[in-house]
Amino acid sequence: MRAALVPLVLVMLPGALFVVGLALLRWFTGEPAPRALLSLARPTRWCAGRLAGVGEGMERVGLVRRTRPEPVPPVLLVLELRRLAAEVVRIEGDDQPHPAARLAAARAAYDHVLVQLCGQADVPTPSGLLPLDPRDRLGLEVELVAAGVDW
């Protein structure tokens, strides 16, 4: 009986690992998650939600203390916004490789800091993913200048 299982394991195990590796590779490159992972995600989300509630309850009663991160001062956000604006201008006039990817990353970072600064200046921000639409970005910049923030 064992002699029959050895070839089965030697053939089936590498094949199963290959199929799993291929599914994970497809998932990492942007395709939807494998069905096996999706079925595991539901109980995991449920447990994470329950544990978050337990942690908040323990903090409320005083059993656990968590330090809340302090918000970044607006002055530092303005300095970072100024640096990122200069970086976008530098990338647009540069002849480095992959300018589109570098420009998209710099604009996404600029938009992230811009949205943070809008949150601290009580300027309403558009909902959605970053990077922002150029019209939304310009609108936020105008509203920040109207609120008295200059960079």
Side-chain angles (χ1 to χ4, degrees):
M1 180 70 178
R2 286 186 183 177
L5 291 177
V6 171
L8 184 66
V9 168
L10 289 177
V11 171
M12 293 295 288
L13 186 62
L17 289 176
F18 178 76
V19 170
V20 167
L22 189 60
L24 289 175
L25 183 64
R26 286 183 180 160
W27 179 39
F28 289 141
T29 56
E31 289 189 18
R35 275 186 257 147
L37 284 179
L38 290 177
S39 63
L40 290 175
R42 282 186 217 104
T44 305
R45 260 188 259 126
W46 181 82
C47 289
R50 298 288 182 217
L51 289 177
V54 168
E56 290 172 3
M58 290 174 69
E59 183 181 7
R60 214 174 309 129
V61 196
L63 294 174
V64 176
R65 286 198 177 144
R66 289 191 293 184
T67 58
R68 301 286 178 184
E70 294 183 20
V72 179
V75 173
L76 294 178
L77 290 175
V78 167
L79 289 172
E80 184 66 11
L81 207 58
R82 187 178 300 153
R83 185 190 71 79
L84 288 169
E87 180 71 15
V88 168
V89 170
R90 186 186 68 78
I91 290 172
E92 286 174 346
D94 209 359
D95 61 346
Q96 294 285 326
H98 310 291
R102 294 173 58 234
L103 192 59
R107 284 186 179 151
Y110 180 86
D111 292 343
H112 181 72
V113 174
L114 187 68
V115 167
Q116 280 184 332
L117 190 58
C118 286
Q120 289 190 359
D122 295 328
V123 173
T125 59
S127 61
L129 297 175
L130 298 178
L132 296 172
D133 185 63
R135 292 174 292 209
D136 293 337
R137 185 181 305 124
L138 182 63
L140 287 178
E141 290 171 345
V142 166
E143 290 183 27
L144 277 174
V145 169
V149 180
D150 187 26
W151 66 95

